Amino acid sequence: MPLLQDIRLPSEDPHAGIAVSEFFDVHPVATFAINTAHVITHWNKACEHLLGWSKAEMVGTTNHWQAFYTRQRPLLADLIISGAEEEIGVYYQGKHIRSPLIEGGFEAEDFFPNIGARGHWLHFTAAPLRDQDGQVVGAIETLRDVTERRVAENALRQAHDNLEHLVAKRTAQLAEVNARLEHDIEQRERADAELRRRNLELTELNEQLSMTQQQLVQADKLASIGQLAAGVAHEINNPIGYIFSNVGTLQNYLDLLFGMLAAYEEAEPAIGDPLVAQRLRAMREQIDLGFLLEDIPSLMAESKEGIVRVRHIVQDLKDFSRVDANQEWVWANIHRGIDSTLNIVSNEVKYKADVFKEYGELPDIECLPLQINQVVMNLVVNAAHAIGPERGSITIRTGCVDADMIWIEVQDSGSGIAPEALSRIFDPFFTTKAVGKGTGLGLSLAYGIVQKHRGRIEVDTQLGQGTRFRVWLPTHHPDPDTEQEGQP
Ligand SMILES: Nc1ncnc2c1ncn2[C@@H]1O[C@H](COP(=O)(O)OP(=O)(O)O)[C@@H](O)[C@H]1O
Ligand SMILES: [Mg+2]
């Protein structure tokens, strides 16, 4: 830029006496100057080149606006001459700043669509021209083409915007993928949990199934054994009855006969015929009458005992098959039943164990009380049998979970049950006891009774520690029809 004080001031005559016009002309920055009447005094080559308007066309006119706009309006240089700063604001609307270098000067940058084929970005600076007294005599405006910079900036901004857009897009895509993944994971976890739940259900169901199956097998066995037992008991009962009574009668007859025989023996010396006496003696020796007289009564006693035993077994079988089950379903107090049962078995128990009672609160239940007593008795007797030579304990507990179910527990400190025996203890005739001590019917009988009550038996045992049987019974008799079950 030429220093402004070097420039000779534009005169009223635009063509006269401007010493620096050559300097203007060759200066590479597009520059023009106007006087206070807004008439162009200078229009250099660079200006011609940039704006497409020649010096000849412009100097001496006030048409400089034409180089920039389609409609007439003041340029920055014009506004500086008018000296109305607020007007600059009106026309340039914040695109301008006060020049940091030239006092009273302004700078602005704007796009001019009419310059050149595609328009140009110009950075222009306008400053007042003053005479030696400081009087404003005109204004000078320089124009720099900043199109390339602006284009580059725009391109950069665009690229930046694009990049940001891309980043935003990618971020959104990533977020979406992430959300999908999270959703997937959540679904998979849910499916997993569902699978686990189903698996658990299946396992449970399986367990129930195998338990039910076991119970069915047990019930089946019981039913057929029960039938057999009922048949056998029924068939044997009558003959045993009359054999038992006949043996009694026979015993009486034999006593009479033996008396008679003794009388004959006494009368023997009185027999006159020595031949007859001789024959009698020989016969007596031959049949060993002395031995017979001794042996017959013991034979009779043994037979009688045998028949008593058979009657006992038949009674057990009848119990087992519930041939005599003509009891009635009644509401009964379980504790009273247990107490009376304990009294009955006290002889069996009192030398082997201390009995503890831990009764809970129980409602009366609808049941066959004698049969429930039978169950308790079998469990208590088994408990006593399981206790070895050392004194042990038997604990009887009761309780209920709700109004529908009660339980009775018999726990002993006895031998426990070996695993291989555990699956068979409810089998009829399964016993581990010495011959004559156990029939193996106690638990299967208990099982049958509990089943008839629609209850169940649980066993918890530890070898060498003891066993706990728990009997669950519903408080209400579920089906009145079952009353007839098991009757002949
Ligand atoms: N409380 C118990 N402790 C240990 N074993 C028991 C107990 N209760 C039953 N058992 C076992 O179950 C078997 C079958 O019992 P049960 O049917 O009453 O017949 P029994 O008592 O005539 O042997 C018994 O022989 C015994 O091995
Ligand atoms: Mg028994």
Side-chain angles (χ1 to χ4, degrees), residues 378-387 410-412 414-418 421 424-433 437-445 461 466-469:
N378 292 1
L379 294 180
V380 172
V381 168
N382 278 350
H385 285 172
I387 290 166
V410 178
Q411 181 168 15
D412 63 59
S415 60
I417 303 171
R424 304 181 57 200
I425 54 172
F426 293 107
D427 285 359
F429 305 112
F430 174 79
T431 180
T432 57
K433 293 169 190 171
K437 195 142 192 244
T439 58
L441 289 176
L443 283 184
S444 57
L445 183 58
T461 185
T467 306
R468 193 188 63 190
F469 282 87

Side-chain angles (χ1 to χ4, degrees), residues 253-265:
Y253 289 175
L254 278 175
D255 286 347
L256 293 177
L257 275 179
F258 284 161
M260 191 69 201
L261 215 60
Y264 277 134
E265 228 175 352

